Amino acid sequence: MSKGRRDGGGLESPQRRHLLGRGAALVGGAVVSGTVAAQEAGSEPNGPPNIPDWMKVPGADVGSEPYGTPSPFEKQVVRNIPKGLPQYISASSRTPLQELDGIITPNGLFYERHHGGIPEIDPGQHRLMVHGLVETPLILTMADIRRFPSESRIHFIECSGNPGFEAMSGRTASDLVGLVSCAEWTGVPLKTVLAEAGLRPEAKWVVAEGADAAALTRSIPIDKCLDDAMLVYSQNGERLRPQQGYPLRVLLPGFEGNMNVKWLRRLNVTAEPAHSREETSKYTDSMPDGTARQFTFYMEAKSIITRPSGTQRIDRGYNEITGIAWSGHGRITQVEVSVNDGRTWTVAQLQAPVLTRALTRFRLPWTWDGTPTAILSRATDETGYVQPDFKALTQVRGMKSFYHNNAIIPWRIAESGAVSNGFVKA
Amino acid sequence: MSKGRRDGGGLESPQRRHLLGRGAALVGGAVVSGTVAAQEAGSEPNGPPNIPDWMKVPGADVGSEPYGTPSPFEKQVVRNIPKGLPQYISASSRTPLQELDGIITPNGLFYERHHGGIPEIDPGQHRLMVHGLVETPLILTMADIRRFPSESRIHFIECSGNPGFEAMSGRTASDLVGLVSCAEWTGVPLKTVLAEAGLRPEAKWVVAEGADAAALTRSIPIDKCLDDAMLVYSQNGERLRPQQGYPLRVLLPGFEGNMNVKWLRRLNVTAEPAHSREETSKYTDSMPDGTARQFTFYMEAKSIITRPSGTQRIDRGYNEITGIAWSGHGRITQVEVSVNDGRTWTVAQLQAPVLTRALTRFRLPWTWDGTPTAILSRATDETGYVQPDFKALTQVRGMKSFYHNNAIIPWRIAESGAVSNGFVKA
């Protein structure tokens, strides 16, 4: 992990021993006298034997939860629902990124974004119609769709407004970029379904429509449909949750979230895009010269440090810096971390497997000496693109834009160890 | 997918078109007339436009489930709890493998095996003691443990009695081998914690003890502790569920399930194994000559077809055969499938990424002509070991054994398309 290291700010490799004992913040009572060996675990040093109450009685029955749920002690780990936004017409909830480890988002915490509420769909009644510029229009049941050859892939999905350009004041990692999650998806390659219908030569777009009250509609370029696009029915092994499009959604790896149409009921193959609400009035980027960028499909390379992050507090001494990086354009090839507000950068370790268009976990050991600072991360993807800082981004894109904000996110660390959003004046 | 193909029993590659239209079991109404293009999706061919009810009213609010749950239409997909076994003293529930896709098991459906019920542990009160043949005994809080350098790995855990040698009569894939699940785990390498304490030269075993009412205790050889063993606190991104050891468990990739001690409270470093109940009276293999195999740590290569599998029914024509394979010894290198009761074998496709000591999804396209048959799968791992059939296994191991049954599992397919357990007389 020494590659690219250009400063000595506490970034030496952790020693094999006394990791927790280094620095000023020696963990109270962690290192105890040898007499502990004769005691029961759970006791404090030199205290009486301590058998915890939960060992003294039989625990709950197996199967007491046919479908398991988290510990009552984790009940605060839920989706983050912004206050003050109008509900169900257009609303979202965010994944609590700062509470999570690894790259898989559990289904119960996957972010939501709805435009007409969450429909409760009977999969026995649901149909997918494939029509337009095809040789043989199809109406498919869910049983039909599950008969096609299947495929499983781990990919992120991210809302394009994550965060909006004027929404950089959040307190936590979730407040800022909690509209991204990652799962293992299973379904049928879209190209297989289109081949079953038979594309006509003039087919250039596929217009996907959801079976929600908004009939959310997006136009997908045919090249993506014939590349890695899928129609998915399972997420992390089990069937999709209602919030993620049960029983069927489009998966367009790397494309902005709302194009991954949920509750999918229709694929209309066309020569031109539909210019639907969600690709004209919304989900376009207003540029400084008054024009608008339309069909900005791919989410650019991005990263965020999730631990330590806003509202957390660190101790002096050894800390692991960890976070997630991702790019719609492919694999993450490098994540650099700065512990001195961007003056110098150090290459972080990437957790294998590093998958294309999936979250990638990065880590860097750090010993904090108690000096106030700011910590940042920046991602590079396989195209060579490097995540910009907010200033560089807005020089190109201006401040009229809302979507596709992939700026570097700084976390300020105060002398107390308190971590806060570096975009907000202290 | 033609590699290794040695028969023509419907195993040609699926054609680009009319996958669902081939064979006798053309899906009723799936391929419809061109007039459908003018109709609403969801209608039957030539029927009236059909806007489903769930598009006519706003759906449920975002955040109506702060922690999401499956669709009400999936309420039958729960853990499989065997009837007639004494509860909580020694009981298990199984993952519904035949309902799942991909390789990740959602946390709510991860299999359970308890020896004293599920304790409800307050993580703020929980302690891990590391003592015995160490330089510096430690008592660690969960906050201490989370400060260590972390790592995330995708691995399966499997009970060693999956299934017992006399328990081959189950109806479903879950009944037979549902005591295996797979997740992304995050925690600290065990060697890091042992290095913090400092191992004495005579340290050869680490005895792990759980904080359940059984104080489940297992001895782990030091080589494994210094290799890929971990202490894990997160599973599929979020904290461990109570059923899987909240707040802390041992993860020994590839070792039999009960050694992955849950609710971990103590690591006693020793020169000899503890010879605890769970490694003498239980979890040893009685051999034909009256001796017993002890410390048979690694789970051998194994596979099962999950679709089609017992209690399901297939149509003639195109079907995808899919299932899971795994080995405690490393990566799966090959899965072969037979569609003629073991007469010939065809190499199946493996879904990337193929990870060490993780479930691996395999798939094979197959066109069934309606002839009764049996379908089987057999896995090969990176050591070259090939999953044996039940006859070959019992020739070596006899029938007094209970644990470590990794026999090939046959599914019988009747003329009706009904799928049933091939071990059970029709």
Side-chain angles (χ1 to χ4, degrees), chain A residues 301-317:
Chain A
K302 195 160 168 179
S303 67
I304 187 169
I305 295 168
T306 55
R307 195 155 54 95
S309 65
T311 72
Q312 297 174 348
R313 184 177 296 270
I314 62 170
D315 290 316
R316 294 177 196 211

Side-chain angles (χ1 to χ4, degrees), chain A residues 66-150:
Chain A
Y67 192 97
T69 58
S71 163
F73 292 98
E74 300 296 326
K75 63 172 184 276
Q76 77 288 0
V77 183
V78 291
R79 293 185 179 116
N80 170 13
I81 304 166
K83 305 289 186 282
L85 281 180
Q87 278 296 302
Y88 86 62
I89 297 300
S90 182
S92 58
S93 71
R94 296 159 187 266
T95 294
L97 299 173
Q98 67 278 6
E99 300 284 354
L100 301 185
D101 297 296
I103 63 167
I104 296 292
T105 310
N107 291 343
L109 298 174
F110 207 91
Y111 89 86
E112 299 171 275
R113 175 77 179 95
H114 314 308
H115 297 72
I118 308 156
E120 184 175 301
I121 297 181
D122 177 352
Q125 299 298 316
H126 189 69
R127 297 290 183 276
L128 171 66
M129 181 161 79
V130 184
H131 68 133
L133 299 173
V134 296
E135 300 296 336
T136 312
L138 305 172
I139 291 181
L140 302 172
T141 65
M142 285 307 300
D144 295 337
I145 289 164
R146 281 191 65 87
R147 279 191 77 180
F148 282 106
S150 67

